[in-house]
Amino acid sequence: MKFVQVEGKFPLESAIWKDSYRFPHRLLKRIVHGLLQEEKDSTLLLSRFQEYLEYDDVRYYTMTVINERIAQVNRGTKEALPPIFLNNVFGLLSAINMPVEGELSNFLLGQKEKEDDWKPAKLKEQKKAFERVWMGFLKHKLSVSLYKKVLLILHESILPHMSNATMMIDFLTAAYDVGGAISLLALNGLFILIHQHNLEYPDFYKKLYSLLDPSVFHVKYRARFFHLADLFLSSTHLPVYLVAAFAKRLSRLSLTAPPQVLMMMIPFICNLIRRHPACLPLIHRPSAERDLTSDPFVMEEQDPAKSRALESSLWELEALQNHYYPSVVRAANVISRALSTQENDVSELLELSSYELFEKEMKKKFHTVPLEFEAVHGLLGKKHDITADHFSL
């Protein structure tokens, strides 16, 4: 990179095309090709190269070279690209920090004369190059771990800097249909497209409903999932049957959920009922026409409209009033009283762990309770009696 800087100041040959603006494109191309190796991990080299990506000209020309390198490796083969190569490409792409706004003036090579049409100096051209390189990378088959890495940074580091974010619709909808943790991670990007770009996803809530299974409580993305689920279910215009189905399914899953999840899930369910008073019969049915000897709710049904949740009740929350953990009992007792209109803040409970619950219990002060009417003296009697007998001898 020092050679790039020096050759830019003292070029060995004149610029062939105007856009190059005396930037040693060929030398940078050799550097990037060396970083993006097919059989050797370049993580350490990429971390060293990251500081040069802060320069606007280096960033722009690096993004153009990455596309050339991907096409070169992919040429003449229909097989998937080497996993190590894809990891190297992702490492380089994820190291790119795009400018948000303002004039671009941080260049490795100073401008000797003003060029109005120099692409690296225009934010619009930078975004176009950024969009092209990511779309060129994501069209290839990725491993599950790399899929997750991309989705983790997609909503913060990729979508906001794309000139046309709707181009990611196919990628995100395909990821959302995969299932498991990948579907959970795709929710962030889909939320941005739905909220900011008016994406229409007809079966979105049906798919979200199907993601609610026991495994969702044990993945490390649990907090992110329930945060987004809370946002998606916050609208008061949702049909009552849909909200009732979510509340009932969560209630059923709570029977086998760990305590740290229950501390979040019970207020979550109560918030759904507060937002939609038509769901109150789930916990307070004023005039029961018949006794519910069996639960009409169909847990195996993937369509919330056919789950018959409104015909059921949240008896699972009443069962949790006999839970072994006292805090869960107190939280479940809320349904035995009239629900307040103010919602509970579940944001602080999303990251709650079993370790924190254990530490909280250990800090409590317990008072000793006598278990016998007469104090225990031991096998040989009281201590002072034994001492007196010893001295009398």
Side-chain angles (χ1 to χ4, degrees):
M1 290 307 295
K2 294 294 183 183
F3 287 138
V4 169
Q5 189 173 12
V6 173
E7 187 176 333
K9 293 180 179 179
F10 309 102
L12 299 176
E13 55 185 8
S14 60
I16 300 176
W17 61 90
K18 190 175 182 182
D19 182 58
S20 65
Y21 197 68
R22 299 187 183 278
F23 191 94
H25 188 270
R26 291 183 180 178
L27 183 54
L28 181 66
K29 181 177 180 179
R30 294 183 62 183
I31 294 174
V32 175
H33 283 213
L35 291 172
L36 302 181
Q37 301 184 47
E38 300 179 43
E39 300 178 355
K40 186 177 180 181
D41 186 13
S42 304
T43 303
L44 295 177
L45 286 173
L46 291 172
S47 62
R48 185 71 178 86
F49 182 73
Q50 184 175 0
E51 64 180 82
Y52 293 100
L53 292 175
E54 299 299 322
Y55 294 105
D56 299 319
D57 48 356
V58 175
R59 183 195 312 113
Y60 177 80
Y61 288 115
T62 298
M63 290 188 291
T64 59
V65 172
I66 293 175
N67 269 338
E68 297 176 11
R69 177 59 175 162
I70 294 176
Q72 180 186 23
V73 175
N74 192 40
R75 185 178 298 134
T77 177
K78 295 182 179 180
E79 299 180 359
L81 296 179
I84 296 179
F85 172 73
L86 289 175
N87 279 322
N88 287 334
V89 174
F90 174 76
L92 184 55
L93 288 176
S94 60
I96 296 176
N97 295 320
M98 287 289 292
V100 179
E101 57 184 6
E103 185 179 354
L104 304 183
S105 58
N106 184 24
F107 302 114
L108 180 67
L109 305 179
Q111 299 186 55
K112 296 180 180 179
E113 56 186 29
K114 186 66 175 177
E115 290 283 353
D116 295 332
D117 56 348
W118 193 44
K119 292 184 177 180
K122 296 182 177 182
L123 182 59
K124 183 179 180 180
E125 295 296 333
Q126 293 261 356
K127 286 187 174 183
K128 286 183 179 180
F130 182 81
E131 184 179 90
R132 283 195 299 268
V133 70
W134 270 110
M135 295 304 298
F137 172 69
L138 294 178
K139 71 180 182 180
H140 295 282
K141 185 177 180 180
L142 307 179
S143 63
V144 175
S145 60
L146 198 55
Y147 225 134
K148 293 179 180 179
K149 291 178 181 178
V150 172
L151 291 171
L152 278 171
I153 66 170
L154 185 71
H155 64 290
E156 291 183 347
S157 304
I158 302 177
L159 285 180
H161 304 297
M162 298 186 72
S163 57
N164 185 12
T166 55
M167 295 181 66
M168 298 295 294
I169 290 177
D170 292 338
F171 175 78
L172 284 170
T173 51
Y176 193 47
D177 293 333
V178 169
I182 292 180
S183 294
L184 301 184
L185 293 174
L187 279 174
N188 262 331
L190 281 175
F191 173 73
I192 293 176
L193 294 183
I194 292 173
H195 184 66
Q196 300 180 7
H197 301 277
N198 299 320
L199 168 66
E200 293 185 4
Y201 195 104
D203 296 329
F204 176 79
Y205 283 98
K206 183 178 177 180
K207 180 65 178 178
L208 183 66
Y209 182 78
S210 66
L211 292 178
L212 294 176
D213 56 33
S215 64
V216 78
F217 302 137
H218 304 284
V219 295
K220 60 181 178 180
Y221 315 112
R222 182 191 72 208
R224 175 182 295 199
F225 171 74
F226 279 100
H227 169 70
L228 290 172
D230 188 45
L231 289 176
F232 288 131
L233 296 171
S234 61
S235 174
T236 57
H237 299 286
L238 295 175
V240 178
Y241 77 85
L242 182 67
V243 180
F246 273 92
K248 179 61 182 178
R249 191 174 183 91
L250 288 171
S251 180
R252 181 64 61 84
L253 293 173
S254 67
L255 293 176
T256 55
Q260 66 272 17
V261 176
L262 292 175
M263 295 298 297
M264 174 272 301
M265 196 153 58
I266 295 175
F268 188 96
I269 296 173
C270 292
N271 284 347
L272 292 180
I273 298 175
R274 289 187 178 99
R275 295 168 190 165
H276 304 270
C279 294
L280 278 173
L282 291 174
I283 57 175
H284 299 299
R285 200 176 294 272
S287 57
E289 299 178 359
R290 54 187 174 85
D291 296 331
L292 293 178
T293 55
S294 61
D295 195 342
F297 175 68
V298 185
M299 182 66 177
E300 295 76 17
E301 178 59 55
Q302 297 298 318
D303 188 353
K306 302 177 181 179
S307 64
R308 301 177 62 188
L310 278 174
E311 303 174 27
S312 180
S313 64
L314 302 185
W315 57 265
E316 296 90 350
L317 296 186
E318 186 173 358
L320 291 177
Q321 293 177 356
N322 299 314
H323 199 271
Y324 68 87
Y325 188 61
S327 297
V328 172
V329 175
R330 287 193 294 270
N333 283 335
V334 174
I335 65 168
S336 299
R337 305 184 297 270
L339 283 179
S340 61
T341 56
Q342 185 176 3
E343 294 187 13
N344 294 321
D345 185 12
V346 297
S347 59
E348 298 180 357
L349 304 173
L350 295 176
E351 299 282 357
L352 195 62
S353 65
S354 57
Y355 176 78
E356 292 174 340
L357 292 184
F358 181 78
E359 288 294 313
K360 183 179 179 180
E361 290 297 320
M362 292 297 294
K363 292 179 181 179
K364 290 183 179 180
K365 295 181 180 180
F366 296 96
H367 301 285
T368 57
V369 179
L371 302 178
E372 296 284 349
F373 180 75
E374 296 181 357
V376 178
H377 302 309
L379 295 175
L380 301 176
K382 296 180 179 180
K383 182 178 179 181
H384 63 84
D385 293 339
I386 299 174
T387 307
D389 292 342
H390 175 76
F391 282 108
S392 64
L393 294 176

